Amino acid sequence: MLKGRTAVVTGGTRGIGFAIVKKYLDNGANVAIAGSREETVQKALAQLSEYEGRVMGIWPDLCNPEEVAAAFTRVKERFGSFDILANNAGISSRTSLYEYTLDEFSKILDVNLKAPFVCSQAAARLMKEQGGGTIINTSSMVSKYGQPAGCGYPATKFAVNGLTKSLARELAKDQIRVNAVAPGVTKTDMVAALPTEMVERISAGIPLGRPGEPEDVANAFLYLASDIACYVTGVVLHVDGAAMT
Ligand code: NAD
């Protein structure tokens, strides 16, 4: 579905991001994994030796426009185009408002909101030049109703929805589609960090009866990146088993 296309997946070293990387590679794309550290990127690349020649690593500071632009240009030079950006990197929070420091709030804004902005800007410049492309952001089920602690996390995911819908309208004239995937409870390290009883309680309330697998989410990233979705832009696609919490 993506033969010959080039994708960058931020936070592609593990969890949902790693599942997206594999899904894109299995569908013929060239992929650059953007991680926070060289060490974790190399570890991920070591698990992808069968795709040698179609996968590379970059580790720019995702909030630094110059570093991101330089890294994305290297990707384009290596593979010949820059077609897909999956803004997946993210961190979560369960901190109570009473304990929340401004530093923690700023950090979650940086990774979950500022980074997708910086990466989208750098990607859009390259995509416009080549006649189009597609950007897929990562929202969350909590962007519908919020959550009862860790207010910074849903605040950034509501904002990601706004960024998605606005950029979809702004960039359509340049043939750049912008969508978001909003996962529900998905079995990754992020969920493993939550108290077991909380995960059980949330899972019990999922109409489809189970938490999501990273591949369930990666399938949505594949659909939105592919030509099958060529008339789809500005959408937040919920992949959450119809969860309401
Ligand atoms: P994870 O913690 O397993 O992986 C997060 C990835 O982001 C890691 O590769 C990590 O290295 C990377 N990352 C974090 N900070 C970074 C930075 N500053 N620079 C570069 N990379 C950075 O989490 P996950 O569950 O795979 O989450 C992926 C995305 O899905 C996130 O945006 C998250 O908010 C969203 N999401 C996850 C769930 C879930 O239940 N797992 C639900 C809804 C939304």
Side-chain angles (χ1 to χ4, degrees):
M1 284 170 82
L2 303 178
K3 199 162 173 37
R5 305 277 164 84
T6 297
V8 169
V9 181
T10 71
T13 57
R14 63 167 199 247
I16 292 170
F18 191 70
I20 298 167
V21 167
K22 283 197 72 174
K23 186 62 67 178
Y24 283 0
L25 286 167
D26 284 337
N27 279 273
N30 305 306
V31 178
I33 298 178
S36 48
R37 288 184 293 129
E38 178 175 4
E39 188 194 336
T40 50
V41 172
Q42 296 298 358
K43 215 170 122 192
L45 289 175
Q47 297 171 64
L48 299 167
S49 51
E50 66 192 281
Y51 304 99
E52 212 184 321
R54 288 201 290 123
V55 59
M56 66 182 282
I58 53 175
W59 42 92
D61 172 352
L62 297 181
C63 290
N64 181 317
E66 288 77 29
E67 280 188 31
V68 169
F72 284 11
T73 300
R74 275 207 312 282
V75 173
K76 185 173 177 178
E77 283 168 2
R78 164 87 184 268
F79 293 126
S81 66
F82 191 114
D83 309 290
I84 302 157
L85 169 66
N87 279 317
N88 160 81
I91 53 175
S92 64
S93 169
R94 301 296 306 173
T95 306
S96 137
L97 176 66
Y98 298 108
E99 311 295 330
Y100 232 116
T101 64
L102 191 55
D103 274 355
E104 186 181 350
F105 194 76
S106 297
K107 184 154 184 236
I108 204 160
L109 282 181
D110 279 354
V111 180
N112 291 9
L113 183 60
K114 206 192 273 184
F117 162 76
V118 169
C119 292
S120 297
Q121 186 181 54
R125 285 175 176 152
L126 295 174
M127 290 170 180
K128 182 181 180 188
E129 212 174 71
Q130 71 178 24
T134 183
I135 296 170
I136 307 162
N137 294 321
T138 309
S139 179
S140 165
M141 65 189 278
V142 304
S143 74
K144 274 189 197 159
Y145 306 112
Q147 63 183 26
C151 61
Y153 184 71
T156 59
K157 297 302 187 179
F158 274 82
V160 162
N161 293 356
L163 186 71
T164 301
K165 288 172 185 291
S166 300
L167 291 185
R169 297 182 67 179
E170 181 174 347
L171 300 179
K173 64 179 183 321
D174 301 319
Q175 299 307 313
I176 299 170
R177 296 184 296 108
V178 186
N179 294 290
V181 174
V185 180
T186 310
K187 285 159 101 185
T188 66
D189 291 354
M190 190 176 270
V191 168
L194 297 175
T196 314
E197 66 81 23
M198 183 185 292
V199 178
E200 280 170 0
R201 184 173 45 77
I202 296 170
S203 300
I206 299 172
L208 278 183
R210 64 169 178 87
E213 297 292 337
E215 192 178 0
D216 296 324
V217 181
N219 284 332
F221 273 85
L222 172 62
Y223 162 67
L224 289 171
S226 75
D227 288 343
I228 293 176
C230 64
Y231 199 56
V232 179
T233 194
V235 158
V236 177
L237 178 57
H238 284 265
V239 181
D240 59 9
M244 298 285 288
T245 45

